[in-house]
Amino acid sequence: MNADRIPFNKPYLSGKELEYITSAHRNGHLAGDGPFTARCHQWLENGIGCMRALLTHSGTAALEMSALLLDIQPGDEIIMPPFTFVSTANAFVLRGGIPVFVDIREDTLNIDETLIEEAITPRTRVIVPVHYAGIACEMDSINAIAARHGLSVVEDAALGFMSSYKGRKLGGIGHLGACSFHETKNVISGEGGALLVNTPELITRAEIIREKGTDRGRFIRGEVDKYTWQEVGSSFLPGELTAAFLLAQLEAATHINEVRVETWNRYHASLAAAEAGGLLRRPAVPPECIHNGHIYYVLLPTGVDRKEVIDALKCARIDVAFHYVPLHDSPAGRRHGRTHGRLEKTEKLAQRLLRLPLWIGISPTQQEEVCQGLVRALENAARNGIGKAGG
Ligand SMILES: *Cc1c(COP(=O)(O)O)cnc(C)c1O
């Protein structure tokens, strides 16, 4: 029995955050788009390989900017998985868009690309692949479908920072990509995000929308002698203190992801026998995907009472978590969205999913305790005469 509780998450600090914040304070430039923001933009453009990166207040704000930038009108349809965070849908609903929920794949829990084409109607405008657990969607197929039907692709890469698909970093593959630097993600700034623009024609308008709909960016660069209201926009840019914090994290991003992937791999090795014994299913990573160790989840056998497992682990002072309540099954999702076909896989898989503690600093011994606690809870559940691991 461990004396200390094993928390589900612990934010990581690189150690340089306060130094950079002090420097921003000394610079006397505290509003957005100062030197630290410029350095973050450059880091993201080089690190991800996108044409233009723009810091935002949050991943949510980056998604909202996407909807403005793509000029979403009432009645436009946006294809997305139901197994995602509310912001994926909400950002488009704010513009009158209608989320169309398409079922997910059994292996990666990402949108099932083979179901997308049949969900397309004359009102469809956008496909939003969400890279669940930092493991990429089948982007070649999704981009090909979008090209065939003249649709835009907005990657929700909030969970996939610096993960890749066929060698390309997530968020840099669709027309637009959204990153999140929320405290719960790999690389953080408390609240924070970025919009990644991979389409040259969208860059200028993205800058305008982010600066309250004005061409202030052009003014600062000396390209115009005054700035004026150009477009419907809002204030989407964070201040320099946030950017200073974020730069310290970006510079540590490779280290952060390496340690998280090692931690992920340790769970994966420890739970191999449990999977072979039918007690659980481990995550699947397609060979073309390199992930960032953001989430380690397991799928419990059909029929196991997840709440019982969570409670048993809580008694052992181990915090685990389930994840999204599928959006089509939420009050606002039912009101604002519609489903394409039956969402059987989403409904089954979302109920079986359990995320294990994963943070920088969790020790191999603590991870072993988590695995043993989980296996014990699942063996008890199995002894109570419940089914076998499916899928
Ligand atoms: C975290 C998250 C968001 C929202 O990011 P915030 O920075 O918290 O606004 C959007 N989509 C997904 C899939 C997320 O996990």
Side-chain angles (χ1 to χ4, degrees):
M1 260 292 158
N2 54 306
D4 293 324
R5 155 155 256 113
I6 301 178
F8 177 68
N9 186 41
K10 261 193 199 176
Y12 170 77
L13 298 172
S14 77
K16 279 220 158 186
E17 288 84 357
L18 288 179
E19 181 190 326
Y20 286 2
I21 285 174
T22 304
S23 160
H25 180 259
R26 211 180 308 114
N27 286 341
H29 183 139
L30 298 173
D33 277 340
F36 278 102
T37 303
R39 287 167 71 184
C40 289
H41 287 171
Q42 192 150 54
W43 193 100
L44 291 167
E45 285 159 17
N46 295 337
I48 295 181
C50 58
M51 286 181 193
R52 187 79 170 100
L54 294 166
L55 292 194
T56 57
H57 292 299
S58 61
T60 301
L63 291 163
E64 289 177 14
M65 272 186 73
S66 304
L68 278 165
L69 194 48
L70 297 174
D71 201 22
I72 296 304
Q73 296 297 312
D76 287 350
E77 294 178 353
I78 326 296
I79 291 176
M80 63 181 68
F83 189 62
T84 181
F85 189 62
V86 292
S87 298
T88 317
N90 196 76
F92 293 93
V93 170
L94 275 172
R95 316 254 47 93
I98 301 169
V100 174
F101 299 116
V102 168
D103 211 359
I104 58 175
R105 286 165 49 143
E106 185 107 32
D107 58 350
T108 55
L109 316 189
N110 284 330
I111 190 165
D112 185 342
E113 69 280 358
T114 66
L115 301 175
I116 292 176
E117 206 145 27
E118 62 196 43
I120 293 173
T121 76
R123 300 307 307 262
T124 308
R125 295 281 320 281
V126 188
I127 305 171
V128 189
V130 180
H131 306 295
Y132 184 68
I135 297 165
C137 297
E138 211 330 87
M139 289 307 295
D140 278 353
S141 310
I142 291 171
N143 279 344
I145 293 166
R148 262 201 304 280
H149 296 270
L151 309 177
S152 298
V153 175
V154 177
E155 294 178 75
D156 183 338
L159 302 172
F161 189 63
M162 298 301 277
S163 293
S164 65
Y165 167 83
K166 298 188 180 174
R168 298 170 72 188
K169 295 285 187 330
L170 306 189
I173 304 173
H175 297 94
L176 297 167
C179 300
S180 169
F181 305 118
H182 185 264
E183 182 185 295
T184 52
K185 306 301 202 287
N186 283 19
V187 165
I188 63 176
S189 61
E191 302 282 350
L195 177 69
L196 310 178
V197 186
N198 306 307
T199 310
E201 313 84 71
L202 292 174
I203 293 175
T204 304
R205 283 188 55 240
E207 291 172 357
I208 289 171
I209 287 167
R210 176 168 166 273
E211 264 284 15
K212 300 87 175 171
T214 74
D215 55 350
R216 190 163 180 275
R218 285 196 285 230
F219 172 71
I220 288 169
R221 290 195 296 266
E223 295 165 17
V224 292
D225 60 3
K226 59 180 180 306
Y227 69 88
T228 54
W229 187 19
Q230 304 277 332
E231 288 254 1
V232 173
S234 191
S235 180
F236 287 113
L237 69 170
E240 277 283 283
L241 297 179
T242 299
F245 189 105
L246 180 62
L247 183 65
Q249 291 268 322
L250 291 174
E251 289 176 350
T254 305
H255 170 73
I256 291 171
N257 282 4
E258 275 172 12
V259 176
R260 292 189 74 110
V261 168
E262 272 170 31
T263 311
W264 194 102
N265 287 340
R266 219 176 282 128
Y267 274 135
H268 207 59
S270 289
L271 293 172
E275 182 178 69
L279 282 177
L280 52 81
R281 206 203 86 187
R282 298 179 302 160
V285 185
E288 61 276 15
C289 300
I290 296 177
H291 70 86
N292 60 357
H294 180 56
I295 289 175
Y296 196 88
Y297 70 82
V298 295
L299 293 169
L300 309 184
T302 313
V304 164
D305 183 346
R306 181 171 62 180
K307 175 130 193 337
E308 242 172 58
V309 175
I310 293 173
D311 289 346
L313 286 164
K314 196 171 259 171
C315 278
R317 301 178 66 78
I318 295 165
D319 287 341
V320 293
F322 52 90
H323 214 174
Y324 310 121
V325 173
L327 297 185
H328 70 285
D329 227 3
S330 65
R334 277 195 290 270
R335 212 153 51 233
H336 298 293
R338 70 174 176 79
T339 58
H340 171 72
R342 297 182 54 201
L343 305 179
E344 277 179 329
K345 290 200 174 124
T346 301
E347 283 167 10
K348 274 204 302 230
L349 295 165
Q351 281 177 16
R352 292 170 49 197
L353 186 137
L354 198 64
R355 291 178 294 159
L356 307 186
L358 202 171
W359 33 272
I360 294 182
I362 190 170
S363 69
T365 315
Q366 286 174 310
Q367 285 191 270
E368 209 36 56
E369 277 174 45
V370 173
C371 293
Q372 283 172 9
L374 177 65
V375 165
R376 213 174 305 124
L378 288 169
E379 281 169 351
N380 283 340
R383 249 196 304 282
N384 295 340
I386 308 168
K388 288 177 71 73

